[in-house]
Amino acid sequence: MTISKLQLFRRPTRDAKAGKEGVSRRDVLAALVAGGALAGVWNSAGAALMLDKAGAGAAANAGLDPAAMAVLDAAAQVIVPTTDTPGAREAGVPVFIDALVARWMTADEAKFFRDGLAALDLSARQRFKQGYAQCSPAQAAELMQELRANSPYGGRTFSLTDRILDPKSPFYLRLRDLVVLGYFISEQASSTELRYLPVPGKFEADLPMKTWPYQTVI
Amino acid sequence: MSNTTQFDAIVIGSGITGGWAAKELTEKGLKTLVLERGRNVEHQKDYVNEFTPPWQAPNGGLPERDLDARDYPVQSKIERGAFGWANRQYWINDRENPYEQVKPFRWHRTDVLGGRSLTWGRQSYRWCEDDFLANARDGHGNDWPIRYADLAPWYAYVEKFIGVSGQPEGRKDFPDGEFLPPFAMTPVERALKQAIEAKWKDRCLTVGRVANLTQAHNGRAQCQSRAICNRGCSFGAYFSSLSSTLPAAQATGRLTVRTDSVVEAIDTDPATGKASAVRVIDSRTGERLTFKAKVIFVCASTFGTLQILLQSRSAAHPNGIGNHSDVLGRYLVDHAGAGGFAEIPGFMDTNYKGRRPTGIYMPRFRNLGGQDPDADFTRGYGFQGGAMRDDWTNTAAMSDDFGAGMKRNIARPGKWIAFLGAFCEQLPQAHNRVTLNDKVRGGFGLPQLSIDVAYGENERRMNLDAGKQAEAMLKAAGAQRVQLIPLRTIPGVSIHEMGGARMGRDPAESVLNGRNQVHGVPNLFVTDGSAMASSGTVNPSLTYMALTARAVDFAVAELKAGRL
Ligand SMILES: Cc1cc2nc3c(=O)[nH]c(=O)nc-3n(C[C@H](O)[C@H](O)[C@H](O)COP(=O)(O)OP(=O)(O)OC[C@H]3O[C@@H](n4cnc5c(N)ncnc54)[C@H](O)[C@@H]3O)c2cc1C
Ligand code: SF4
């Protein structure tokens, strides 16, 4: 019943709020075998938590400044808008990408990414006389569409990770792919758009889409 | 533990074969020491990322490029996502444990208790009669000293303990085993099966036979269909040394496990010719220790074992133990491959739930029992694959869309994608070998293992044929366009490295006899992949396990009869 046991499956985190549930690994396993609910064990400690790699050193780069964050936040919401399910903003995607810029990207990649956001913002100021974050959804989408049209990519179809790793990927795709990645691995998307089933119990090979129109993720 | 402690038996390595040796030796009453170079890993407790959800994966699960380039340049290139944030901690540090690649070779290995039994794909197939006859029949490689009948009861023995799920097919060239109920096939896999079997009467498509428990078995829980097995499984629902064999050995009260113990060499007693001791370097302290036993089993994985045998040099064995004939280190084999994938139209109103930890299998159909008239290569291959709906990690990269429509499309199950990938038998050849490079030092100051293995013309032709056949079969199932991809073109990638201390009847052309006993060193047994005289077409580990259990049975009988 100790925190240290819980941390066996929850990464150490700087977030002091996380990891307080008094659940032991044995309880969890028992619940899993019984097909018990998992809510409460893994309620989100926020998108930043996923970046807390045990033993990771200090951030390699500076993160994004507030102005860049505002552009990113607006752009993420254009790429994955809120519909009947949460959008990128509710899923914490901007925080996720900010942390990637700080800890995962090389200095060159981080600069490329910051420059791309700045250019997107500049295009808004030139066309609509206001920052990208202040644009209406229609204006923001128009600029995004234009950025997309002006971003040729010679690569073939890769897995999403492969494309994110491709140094030749233009800014538009880099932004779009990271938003899509951050969104679909988020707790919000995993429980609304997809079905995060840590313990499906069995494999059911043949179900009508009507009853099970989901991708089972883990 | 004092270094003079006398054991009845020593097992070197705790992976798939070492675990089996430990279980059998202890259950037969021998006080047994297992020496493992890797660190200790405790079942359940140390599967640290087993329950980490995607949103807590470090860096969103993206590769740690700097770390991987520095410490895991070989391991991180493993195929099919078997290396990553969730299980990096099991793999060996390549920087600290270098080896020489005379030609490109990927040596994928773990550095933990349990070896690669923690990370393997669990596909478990028996060899067939033909596999043991092939060398004698076509003259590539030496004749196997055993036949299918010698191993059949041991296959059954092993299967009953580890638990293998599968579908009996009643074919002589693809022997059935002691199966737990099979996993179900998806509707498109069933359609693929129907289309292929209707067109080619000699082909059989079945669900992958896999060491995952489809029902509770031997005190281990039923598989929960998560398909994250290579993180470790607290349910014990797949076979690993940690979930199965080592606990069984432990239960006898006769097991001692010493981790962080790098075996350097095996000493022989000049007076008796027998193996007398195992020399060890403690990887944490650098301390050198010696352990003695009446019988020694080397189960350090094909290359790990060859390294130890080559390092075991003495007046009686100047070129390494058992290397009287210069065969030690030669005739290395793996499985080459090519494959094809395709979109199968239709079936859009069916889906599945859960994640099946296996795919489908198609046993060898080329050159079976003789040469096919249209085949320009020797021997054959089996196919593994599957048909599943494409998921978001792929479909997201197939478009550059944004907005609500994209979000919806990517979230829904994608098109049905079918895949067939071949495992092609590599011919045993003397020039494919490993040696020690005494001039270059690797981990712990030991000489580096130098690997000089390449695929040849026969493998190239077989790959081409496998690609063509995959294409024809996928088309028969309705695919319009098939994308062929080279697979396993670099030896080692299949992680089925075998040979080097092959079994044989004649000591002049083999290292081991038909009981996995080193010719001339009666109390020394080698039962991992290095014992293999050819590679067959199926995944090898079940055969290693059967050979291990059989060899222990023999060794203990000999010991009790006073002959070791
Ligand atoms: C990703 C992946 C997928 C695979 N899929 C399949 C599959 O589906 N089916 C199949 O049949 N096979 C599969 N394999 C191959 C399978 O893992 C190996 O064939 C099997 O593990 C070999 O068993 P082993 O006992 O010889 O070696 P291992 O399981 O590798 O164990 C050897 C042990 O010896 C230790 N050791 C090495 N050198 C020394 C030394 N000097 N001193 C002390 N200890 C030492 C190692 O640390 C290790 O723990 C797969 C492998 C991988 C990595
Ligand atoms: S799929 Fe089965 S064997 Fe694999 S980790 Fe899940 S429960 Fe364990």
Side-chain angles (χ1 to χ4, degrees):
Chain A
M1 296 291 153
T2 62
I3 302 274
S4 71
K5 278 204 167 169
L6 184 68
Q7 282 171 346
L8 293 171
F9 49 90
R10 183 194 281 285
R11 296 188 149 270
T13 168
R14 271 176 236 132
D15 181 347
K17 289 196 296 284
K20 286 268 169 64
E21 294 90 337
V23 183
S24 80
R25 183 182 183 85
R26 187 148 22 94
D27 295 338
V28 173
L29 283 172
L32 295 179
V33 174
L38 292 157
V41 179
W42 288 307
N43 55 12
S44 173
L49 178 58
M50 79 178 98
L51 300 149
D52 253 320
K53 180 170 152 27
N61 304 310
L64 298 170
D65 61 24
M69 272 305 272
V71 180
L72 174 61
D73 181 76
Q77 197 59 13
V78 170
I79 291 167
V80 179
T82 305
T83 54
D84 53 338
T85 58
R89 185 175 287 144
E90 291 107 303
V93 172
V95 185
F96 165 71
I97 295 178
D98 179 41
L100 280 185
V101 172
R103 297 187 217 183
W104 183 78
M105 288 186 186
T106 64
D108 286 353
E109 289 167 345
K111 176 172 189 309
F112 177 73
F113 196 76
R114 268 192 224 100
D115 289 351
L117 290 174
L120 183 60
D121 199 40
L122 185 64
S123 70
R125 292 181 195 283
Q126 285 168 345
R127 173 135 357 139
F128 300 117
K129 310 285 175 267
Q130 55 188 345
Y132 192 80
Q134 283 75 48
C135 286
S136 71
Q139 290 169 333
E142 183 185 320
L143 291 170
M144 190 65 74
Q145 183 55 44
E146 205 167 285
L147 180 63
R148 175 187 177 190
N150 294 329
S151 303
Y153 179 61
R156 29 175 217 101
T157 315
F158 295 104
S159 78
L160 188 63
T161 302
D162 286 349
R163 199 159 78 180
I164 288 170
L165 296 175
D166 182 355
K168 292 198 279 299
S169 182
F171 171 73
Y172 167 73
L173 276 184
R174 180 57 39 88
L175 171 67
R176 181 267 188 194
D177 287 350
L178 288 178
V179 170
V180 169
L181 174 74
Y183 180 71
F184 282 104
I185 63 169
S186 71
E187 185 173 16
Q188 286 77 0
S190 297
S191 55
T192 57
E193 289 287 354
L194 313 170
R195 284 297 176 272
Y196 175 69
L197 290 185
V199 186
K202 62 176 180 175
F203 181 68
E204 293 174 77
D206 200 347
L207 291 174
M209 273 290 270
K210 276 204 242 38
T211 59
W212 187 255
Y214 306 110
Q215 293 181 37
T216 311
V217 293
I218 187 141
Chain B
M1 192 194 328
S2 108
N3 64 359
T4 51
T5 313
Q6 174 78 39
F7 292 92
D8 296 325
I10 292 176
V11 176
I12 303 173
S14 64
I16 290 187
T17 58
W20 263 98
K23 166 182 165 345
E24 295 300 298
L25 287 162
T26 52
E27 287 182 348
K28 289 179 192 294
L30 272 59
K31 216 172 103 192
T32 303
L33 169 67
V34 170
L35 294 168
E36 167 55 50
R37 59 164 288 153
R39 71 183 165 86
N40 187 42
V41 171
E42 204 177 308
H43 181 52
Q44 301 181 326
K45 178 173 162 296
D46 289 327
Y47 302 151
V48 287
N49 287 321
E50 183 183 359
F51 294 106
T52 309
W55 54 93
Q56 288 181 9
N59 296 323
L62 291 170
E64 297 284 345
R65 293 166 297 179
D66 290 348
L67 176 67
D68 291 351
R70 188 182 72 230
D71 285 351
Y72 303 96
V74 176
Q75 308 310 321
S76 62
K77 292 199 189 71
I78 202 165
E79 292 190 328
R80 290 156 283 140
F83 173 99
W85 64 269
N87 74 359
R88 185 185 282 102
Q89 68 276 13
Y90 302 144
W91 300 98
I92 202 164
N93 182 312
D94 292 313
R95 177 172 51 84
E96 292 169 358
N97 298 282
Y99 63 97
E100 201 169 78
Q101 302 181 49
V102 179
K103 304 194 185 81
F105 190 99
R106 301 251 184 88
W107 184 9
H108 292 299
R109 46 187 172 143
T110 54
D111 209 6
V112 286
L113 186 69
R116 291 179 293 184
S117 75
L118 268 188
T119 60
W120 72 315
R122 307 163 312 280
Q123 295 292 308
S124 300
Y125 303 95
R126 294 184 179 202
W127 272 35
C128 69
E129 187 68 52
D130 246 41
D131 290 318
F132 291 95
L133 291 169
N135 284 2
R137 191 184 283 151
D138 62 32
H140 297 280
N142 62 327
D143 187 15
W144 274 87
I146 57 170
R147 294 291 181 254
Y148 177 69
D150 294 305
L151 224 45
W154 294 104
Y155 276 128
Y157 179 75
V158 165
E159 287 158 351
K160 276 187 206 147
F161 182 75
I162 70 173
V164 177
S165 69
Q167 174 70 47
E169 297 287 352
R171 296 172 70 99
K172 185 171 172 302
D173 51 9
F174 184 56
D176 294 331
E178 302 284 334
F179 294 141
L180 301 177
F183 282 99
M185 292 207 270
T186 63
V188 172
E189 288 166 349
R190 292 202 306 268
L192 199 63
K193 175 181 172 69
Q194 227 171 21
I196 293 171
E197 292 178 2
K199 185 155 181 194
W200 293 277
K201 299 288 171 230
D202 58 337
R203 301 191 191 182
C204 160
L205 193 153
T206 189
V207 73
R209 296 174 174 177
V210 69
N212 290 66
L213 306 177
T214 46
Q215 52 188 224
H217 184 76
N218 284 343
R220 294 153 51 213
Q222 180 189 327
C223 174
Q224 307 292 320
S225 288
R226 307 182 295 167
I228 48 168
C229 315
N230 63 28
R231 300 181 188 187
C233 176
S234 290
F235 299 99
Y238 74 89
F239 166 77
S240 73
S241 300
L242 301 190
S243 70
S244 318
T245 43
L246 290 179
Q250 190 76 54
T252 65
R254 287 185 278 272
L255 176 73
T256 305
V257 175
R258 194 179 200 285
T259 50
D260 305 292
S261 300
V262 181
V263 171
E264 177 176 5
I266 297 158
D267 291 333
T268 44
D269 180 342
T272 61
K274 288 188 209 170
S276 54
V278 178
R279 277 188 275 135
V280 166
I281 304 171
D282 185 304
S283 65
R284 292 160 305 180
T285 62
E287 193 185 356
R288 286 182 189 257
L289 303 151
T290 303
F291 298 97
K292 292 179 183 299
K294 294 174 204 147
V295 54
I296 296 168
F297 270 73
V298 196
C299 299
S301 82
T302 298
F303 288 164
T305 287
L306 294 176
Q307 182 162 21
I308 293 167
L309 297 179
L310 288 165
Q311 280 166 187
S312 302
R313 290 179 278 210
S314 62
H317 301 275
N319 304 314
I321 202 163
N323 201 14
H324 39 270
S325 55
D326 194 33
V327 167
L328 184 67
R330 293 186 182 274
Y331 302 101
L332 294 169
V333 282
D334 191 13
H335 288 138
F341 63 89
E343 214 181 285
I344 305 289
F347 299 91
M348 292 307 279
D349 53 356
T350 61
N351 194 19
Y352 46 82
K353 185 175 177 182
R355 296 164 61 95
R356 190 184 60 191
T358 184
I360 54 174
Y361 194 79
M362 177 179 285
R364 173 175 168 185
F365 52 85
R366 288 298 252 161
N367 297 333
L368 259 188
Q371 188 74 18
D372 291 350
D374 64 334
D376 61 352
F377 56 90
T378 306
R379 307 209 181 167
Y381 48 83
F383 276 113
Q384 283 170 50
M388 311 293 280
R389 297 193 74 157
D390 221 357
D391 68 15
W392 69 269
T393 60
N394 282 327
T395 53
M398 287 181 192
S399 79
D400 63 354
D401 246 357
F402 66 88
M406 176 277 293
K407 176 184 175 189
R408 174 64 353 165
N409 284 339
I410 290 176
R412 279 208 312 253
K415 295 181 174 132
W416 284 92
I417 305 292
F419 173 74
L420 288 175
F423 283 78
C424 300
E425 176 163 9
Q426 180 181 14
L427 294 178
Q429 303 200 61
H431 60 77
N432 284 324
R433 74 184 298 198
V434 298
T435 49
L436 290 181
N437 186 343
D438 284 296
K439 296 196 198 73
V440 193
R441 297 282 142 173
F444 307 98
L446 299 171
Q448 272 197 26
L449 197 65
S450 176
I451 305 180
D452 185 359
V453 176
Y455 289 133
E457 179 60 15
N458 197 60
E459 287 81 54
R460 194 188 65 79
R461 290 188 191 172
M462 209 181 320
N463 273 357
L464 282 178
D465 188 70
K468 266 192 253 161
Q469 299 293 341
E471 179 164 20
M473 289 191 282
L474 291 167
K475 283 197 165 150
Q480 321 261 298
R481 203 169 50 85
V482 178
Q483 200 162 339
L484 291 180
I485 46 171
L487 295 171
R488 301 186 270 276
T489 48
I490 301 176
V493 169
S494 298
I495 322 174
H496 294 167
E497 73 282 2
M498 288 172 244
R502 68 181 183 182
M503 296 167 82
R505 300 168 205 278
D506 181 356
E509 60 164 32
S510 58
V511 175
L512 309 171
N513 67 15
R515 297 288 184 172
N516 295 74
Q517 200 173 19
V518 174
H519 290 299
V521 190
N523 65 339
L524 182 60
F525 292 80
V526 176
T527 66
D528 57 29
S530 61
M532 304 291 279
S534 58
S535 72
T537 54
V538 299
N539 309 58
S541 305
L542 186 72
T543 300
Y544 305 167
M545 291 189 249
L547 285 171
T548 305
R550 178 173 172 272
V552 171
D553 189 57
F554 172 77
V556 175
E558 290 289 287
L559 192 66
K560 290 189 173 153
R563 282 192 291 267
L564 288 193

